[in-house]
Amino acid sequence: MGELEDSQLIGAPVNPLDPVATLKSPPLEPLREEAHPPQTPYPEDSSVTKAEKFERHGLAIDELGAGGFEQSPAKRIKLDGDDGAVSTVSNAVARERQKGLAPIKSEYLVFPAGSQQLQPSTRADDDAAEASHHTDQRDGHSSSKRKEKSKGQNVSRHFGSSKDRIGLCQSRATYPEFSPGPCKFGDTCNFEHDLRRYLKDGKREDLRTFNGLCPVWDVKGKCHAGWKCRFVGSHSQERNIEDGRKELVLLEDEGRKMNTKFSSDGDEGTGVVNVVSTQDKINLMKKKMKTLKADAYCDWLEKSGKELEKRLHSRNLFDQGLEIQNNINGTEHSVENKKMKDNRAQYTEPPFLPSEKRRIYFGSETPVLAPLTTQGNLPYRRLCVELGAQVTYSEMAMSLPLLQGQKSEWALMKAHESEIAPPAYRPKVSVVTDYDNFKDLRFGAQIAANKPWQALKATEVLTRLCPHLRVIDLNCGCPIDLVYRTGAGSALLDNQSKLEKIIRGMNAVSEDIPITAKIRMGTKDARPTAQKLVERLAFGGYEANELGGGSSGIAAITLHGRSRQQRYTKNADWEYISECAALIKRFNEKGDDLADTIREVDARTQAANSKVYFIGNGDCYSHVDYNTHIEQAKVDSVMIARGALIKPWIFEEIEKGQYLDKSASERLDLVEKYARFGLETWGSDEMGIGTTRRFLLEWLSFAYRYVPVGILEYLPPSLQDRPPAWKGRNELETLLGSDNYKDWIKISEMFLGPAHKDFKFEPKHKSNSYEIEAE
């Protein structure tokens, strides 16, 4: 293997999209004010936004404005006052703000204010973030002359494949041309062994993005994709050997390698933690990994449950006889009280008590990135941490696949080294007792389970195999049918006794890792149950108090201010969140006074310092929303989900306390950074680039919904507002606001090159899939 300096890199042309280089392009000709002549639309056309679609069909639009991609520095809009009220600097007469309609300035509207066409665009259900199942709602009138947009969700999504034309044998992938590794299949191997033939005919040409330099090699000093890398020319060379032949060799950079920690599997990204070895996964699959604590505790749960049922049944008979006796002689209930004490003493003790938990902290300076299905992957969390996210969570992992050693499920537990750094810590009131910020970290794992034994076993295994976890969170709010019908997710809200048992059991087997839960208001709109559940988790339910257990030991509760039935419709109910927060505050202030007086509660069964943190969740889209919820709802912190998908710099706004009018160039830089992080995580070969492209497009399916604050008439913006047809301040801003998935693919090609011929992307919602807007 040779060594290559930066100045010796092969095939590294200048890339205008590299962050080091200035992103400039020749000035674009401004669009004409008058309408283009009517043209016949073609199905294969890819529209940029509704502005271009209407113009294409001969509708007059205002001048979109000249200029290339480069834009003036970001405009910063500072809020004055504590109530969040903001006045804009527009000289025009302000139009009355319409509910549900984004207040875009008239000069950026495709249609003039007051016209009938000024209607909010159709937008996907935000159940897409949780992969929910919806029926297909296609227009059944095939004879209609106009082509309507499809509605509903794409239930069965397919992404095609991204593979080389000829597969290279792994025995050749990372070795010099004349010194290959052994192939255990020999002559019967179905993959290519001729390296030069593979490079010529088996793979696509090298990419020229990122200055032609492999992002993986640039960081690690070695590319684990080897000859399969789409940037292989930047870390390979042809050298002369003693016998006069020329040999192709891969190059490494020892200086870069010194700063890299490779996992035992040898193919993980730089600084990736919580990497579970292949052997551990095999042991789980073959049921060779024992979970002694979980097994013992589950046995106790079953035994104590039967004892409790028997005692309660006998007590009912006793109460009936006591009532008859009291009616006869008027005696007091002293006999009953004695009987209660005797019964409690006869219950079986748990096999062990929980370990003392590590102290954690949530405050106004620790905004939380929510667990996000699909979009909450490692590269995106890494991007959000760079922008100011203080607490992150893995995507929801199902407990049973974890226990079965499934590779895809354990991949969700991987975290970047930036996620194990301590979160911000600036307490306003007093220092938290025994809290060591230097030992704290940001990343937590979220799991879902429908049975206690699944949750307890998964918790014990996670504690053993993943050393870098802040908390283990139990999902009790997922509304999708696939999870709900199994009894997991939001189904646990209707079985609060079982939910409390799960939390207690997880707390018992998690060693020093705290246990938290994310819940919704309830399963039905008109029947919120979260307040009773919060009270049960904080103070302990009837069954637990009968056993002398007290609080469940939960360290934090996150409440999403919607029911399962509501999904993401209507606004989150922050008034209800505030009521639950007040209940937790009373527990934190008076928990000791309300503890069981008959039997002393062991401190190890309680939350650290007997304090439970309470986090609110729902419709946070700006620093104004965030601060309002902290001050008015009295929550400890706010968890952000869709707001972070649409504008990940919301964490930066919260830290600085002002709106950030990101230019189109700055937003494109974030796309480029995500692409780099994706290649470092999933690899720079054809398959890794396809995976990066797919998840980048998933993010762009939310990011296009961002309407720049600089073109809004009123602030703050609302997450529930839907914009009418609008045009950006330049062509790039218009492109980034396109709701057509073909334009998202164009954006991905700026950094990942042309998509593979077999690559497919189906948006989660069919309304983003159309090619021509219905007239």
Side-chain angles (χ1 to χ4, degrees):
M1 305 291 283
E3 192 171 316
L4 181 65
E5 299 294 331
D6 289 349
S7 60
Q8 297 175 312
L9 297 177
I10 299 174
V14 177
N15 178 17
L17 296 175
D18 189 89
V20 179
T22 303
L23 187 61
K24 294 183 178 180
S25 64
L28 301 176
E29 294 183 4
L31 299 179
R32 296 179 297 173
E33 293 186 4
E34 64 274 17
H36 284 216
Q39 301 178 23
T40 303
Y42 295 96
E44 65 273 11
D45 289 349
S46 173
S47 307
V48 175
T49 61
K50 292 188 174 180
E52 185 176 335
K53 295 170 191 172
F54 287 118
E55 182 192 26
R56 180 178 298 176
H57 289 283
L59 296 174
I61 60 173
D62 294 335
E63 183 178 0
L64 293 181
F69 287 166
E70 191 63 29
Q71 194 173 336
S72 60
K75 183 168 103 180
R76 314 301 186 205
I77 305 176
K78 182 71 178 176
L79 284 182
D80 296 324
D82 295 331
D83 57 356
V86 180
S87 59
T88 60
V89 291
S90 175
N91 294 326
V93 178
R95 294 182 288 111
E96 183 180 356
R97 185 166 187 173
Q98 301 179 35
K99 184 177 181 181
L101 184 68
I104 296 177
K105 295 178 181 178
S106 58
E107 58 265 36
Y108 299 104
L109 293 174
V110 173
F111 298 106
S115 64
Q116 294 182 354
Q117 291 90 345
L118 190 62
Q119 298 295 332
S121 60
T122 302
R123 195 60 64 66
D125 254 346
D126 281 312
D127 289 329
E130 300 189 67
S132 64
H133 176 90
H134 284 278
T135 56
D136 192 350
Q137 302 177 8
R138 291 183 178 273
D139 182 7
H141 301 284
S142 59
S143 60
S144 175
K145 293 183 180 180
R146 54 180 189 167
K147 183 177 181 180
E148 299 285 355
K149 294 198 308 183
S150 298
K151 300 178 181 179
Q153 290 227 339
N154 280 315
V155 178
S156 300
R157 304 172 69 207
H158 302 283
F159 302 98
S161 62
S162 299
K163 297 180 180 179
D164 291 328
R165 289 188 293 270
I166 301 174
L168 180 65
C169 179
Q170 202 59 34
S171 66
R172 305 304 195 263
T174 56
Y175 294 89
E177 181 181 10
F178 299 148
S179 304
C183 176
K184 62 181 180 180
F185 298 102
D187 295 336
T188 62
C189 182
N190 294 324
F191 294 95
E192 183 61 56
H193 284 201
D194 187 333
L195 180 59
R196 291 184 182 267
R197 180 173 180 269
Y198 165 77
L199 294 175
K200 180 181 178 181
D201 303 325
K203 65 191 293 282
R204 293 197 289 168
E205 62 180 8
D206 278 7
L207 294 176
R208 296 181 176 273
T209 56
F210 303 110
N211 281 341
L213 177 63
C214 173
V216 179
W217 188 92
D218 187 32
V219 174
K220 300 180 182 180
K222 176 182 178 181
C223 178
H224 54 73
W227 297 108
K228 297 180 181 181
C229 176
R230 291 290 308 281
F231 301 86
V232 69
S234 66
H235 52 79
S236 66
Q237 70 178 12
E238 190 177 52
R239 68 181 180 184
N240 295 320
I241 56 178
E242 295 180 354
D243 59 4
R245 294 184 297 171
K246 293 184 176 181
E247 181 184 28
L248 293 172
V249 294
L250 295 170
L251 304 174
E252 297 181 6
D253 187 289
E254 296 300 328
R256 289 180 170 92
K257 287 175 62 177
M258 289 179 62
N259 299 322
T260 302
K261 294 181 180 179
F262 286 90
S263 71
S264 58
D265 289 345
D267 61 350
E268 301 302 329
T270 304
V272 176
V273 298
N274 292 338
V275 180
V276 179
S277 68
T278 301
Q279 186 58 51
D280 284 332
K281 296 171 192 173
I282 293 175
N283 290 340
L284 284 167
M285 180 181 62
K286 295 183 177 180
K287 299 182 179 180
K288 291 184 177 180
M289 186 171 291
K290 304 299 182 182
T291 53
L292 301 180
K293 281 191 172 184
D295 294 340
Y297 203 90
C298 286
D299 292 340
W300 176 79
L301 282 176
E302 184 177 358
K303 185 175 182 179
S304 62
K306 292 180 179 179
E307 291 177 346
L308 182 61
E309 183 179 357
K310 182 179 179 181
R311 298 289 189 271
L312 293 177
H313 178 70
S314 62
R315 180 179 301 170
N316 290 335
L317 297 176
F318 174 79
D319 289 344
Q320 294 175 11
L322 186 65
E323 183 178 359
I324 296 173
Q325 184 66 27
N326 289 340
N327 290 335
I328 296 175
N329 54 25
T331 57
E332 297 296 332
H333 287 191
S334 58
V335 179
E336 179 189 12
N337 293 334
K338 183 177 184 302
K339 184 69 174 178
M340 288 176 60
K341 295 179 182 180
D342 293 340
N343 282 343
R344 176 169 293 182
Q346 295 176 22
Y347 289 123
T348 303
E349 293 287 339
F352 51 85
L353 291 174
S355 302
E356 186 175 356
K357 303 303 177 186
R358 184 194 318 121
R359 269 50 172 175
I360 59 173
Y361 171 78
F362 286 96
S364 59
E365 70 273 30
T366 58
V368 182
L369 176 64
L372 300 168
T373 301
T374 305
Q375 286 86 1
N377 47 65
L378 187 151
Y380 193 73
R381 297 196 311 268
R382 182 180 173 186
L383 178 66
C384 289
V385 168
E386 281 201 4
L387 293 171
Q390 298 299 317
V391 179
T392 63
Y393 287 90
S394 70
E395 299 178 56
M396 181 184 72
M398 302 302 294
S399 296
L400 193 56
L402 286 174
L403 296 174
Q404 294 169 341
Q406 290 189 13
K407 181 179 179 181
S408 59
E409 215 71 14
W410 279 103
L412 303 179
M413 297 299 110
K414 296 175 185 176
H416 188 257
E417 62 183 355
S418 61
E419 296 181 89
I420 63 174
Y425 179 57
R426 297 184 296 273
K428 295 182 179 179
V429 182
S430 61
V431 178
V432 179
T433 306
D434 295 334
Y435 172 70
D436 188 348
N437 181 250
F438 293 101
K439 293 183 179 180
D440 201 359
L441 56 160
R442 307 185 185 201
F443 178 73
Q446 188 186 68
I447 63 173
N450 62 350
K451 294 180 176 62
W453 69 266
Q454 292 181 5
L456 269 61
K457 284 175 173 286
T459 299
E460 184 174 353
V461 172
L462 281 170
T463 302
R464 185 183 309 165
L465 301 182
C466 298
H468 300 286
L469 292 179
R470 185 180 203 244
V471 299
I472 299 177
D473 185 80
L474 179 67
N475 184 299
C476 311
C478 181
I480 67 173
D481 295 337
L482 184 65
V483 176
Y484 179 80
R485 289 171 181 170
T486 65
S490 56
L492 291 173
L493 300 177
D494 289 333
N495 197 337
Q496 296 187 2
S497 176
K498 181 170 77 171
L499 172 54
E500 183 186 2
K501 290 180 181 178
I502 292 176
I503 293 294
R504 288 182 183 278
M506 292 173 63
N507 193 54
V509 302
S510 65
E511 300 294 342
D512 66 337
I513 300 177
I515 300 300
T516 63
K518 185 173 186 289
I519 65 176
R520 282 187 177 237
M521 289 172 53
T523 56
K524 302 293 183 182
D525 281 348
R527 294 165 52 191
T529 58
Q531 196 163 352
K532 291 183 178 180
L533 177 59
V534 168
E535 183 177 2
R536 174 184 279 268
L537 294 178
F539 298 104
Y542 174 79
E543 301 88 346
N545 287 321
E546 179 70 18
L547 297 172
S551 170
S552 66
I554 196 167
I557 301 173
T558 301
L559 174 59
H560 184 178
R562 292 184 174 90
S563 67
R564 176 186 182 267
Q565 184 180 6
Q566 186 181 350
R567 301 290 178 107
Y568 282 95
T569 60
K570 303 179 183 178
N571 293 325
D573 190 344
W574 276 91
E575 183 176 349
Y576 187 84
I577 293 176
S578 178
E579 294 174 2
C580 295
L583 182 63
I584 290 295
K585 183 178 180 180
R586 290 197 299 271
F587 168 78
N588 292 332
E589 292 176 348
K590 304 179 181 180
D592 293 337
D593 298 334
L594 297 175
D596 191 353
T597 57
I598 299 179
R599 178 179 176 182
E600 183 180 357
V601 178
D602 194 299
R604 288 175 293 179
T605 65
Q606 310 305 299
N609 294 328
S610 297
K611 178 178 177 61
V612 177
Y613 289 97
F614 194 74
I615 299 97
N617 173 225
D619 296 345
C620 185
Y621 192 41
S622 67
H623 68 285
V624 176
D625 294 335
Y626 184 87
N627 293 330
T628 299
H629 298 328
I630 293 288
E631 295 169 6
Q632 296 183 5
K634 305 300 182 183
V635 294
D636 293 301
S637 185
V638 177
M639 179 177 284
I640 307 171
R642 290 177 298 162
L645 288 174
I646 296 173
K647 61 169 190 180
W649 59 92
I650 185 175
F651 300 104
E652 190 178 357
E653 291 185 345
I654 291 171
E655 182 179 0
K656 295 182 178 180
Q658 64 181 31
Y659 290 102
L660 301 179
D661 188 8
K662 293 284 186 180
S663 69
S665 306
E666 290 174 308
R667 292 166 60 194
L668 193 66
D669 287 342
L670 295 180
V671 175
E672 179 188 20
K673 185 170 288 188
Y674 179 88
R676 284 181 176 272
F677 293 165
L679 294 178
E680 289 180 32
T681 302
W682 294 304
S684 55
D685 59 348
E686 191 70 73
M687 188 173 295
I689 289 175
T691 302
T692 301
R693 191 189 309 276
R694 182 243 163 144
F695 286 108
L696 173 58
L697 295 175
E698 297 281 11
W699 171 36
L700 293 177
S701 71
F702 279 88
Y704 86 90
R705 295 166 53 172
Y706 172 71
V707 179
V709 295
I711 71 173
L712 293 176
E713 278 193 328
Y714 302 96
L715 295 175
S718 172
L719 191 60
Q720 300 297 87
D721 283 351
R722 299 297 182 249
W726 62 280
K727 55 199 175 189
R729 291 166 290 190
N730 56 39
E731 293 294 331
L732 179 58
E733 192 167 75
T734 304
L735 177 66
L736 291 172
S738 171
D739 61 355
N740 191 331
Y741 79 99
K742 289 189 175 182
D743 290 316
W744 309 341
I745 294 179
K746 286 181 183 178
I747 295 171
S748 76
E749 290 178 341
M750 294 180 182
F751 308 105
L752 302 176
H756 192 278
K757 64 180 181 63
D758 296 327
F759 176 82
K760 297 178 182 179
F761 179 76
E762 297 180 11
K764 287 187 175 180
H765 201 269
K766 296 189 178 81
S767 64
N768 298 115
S769 303
Y770 63 85
E771 293 158 342
I772 302 299
E773 173 77 1
E775 297 182 18

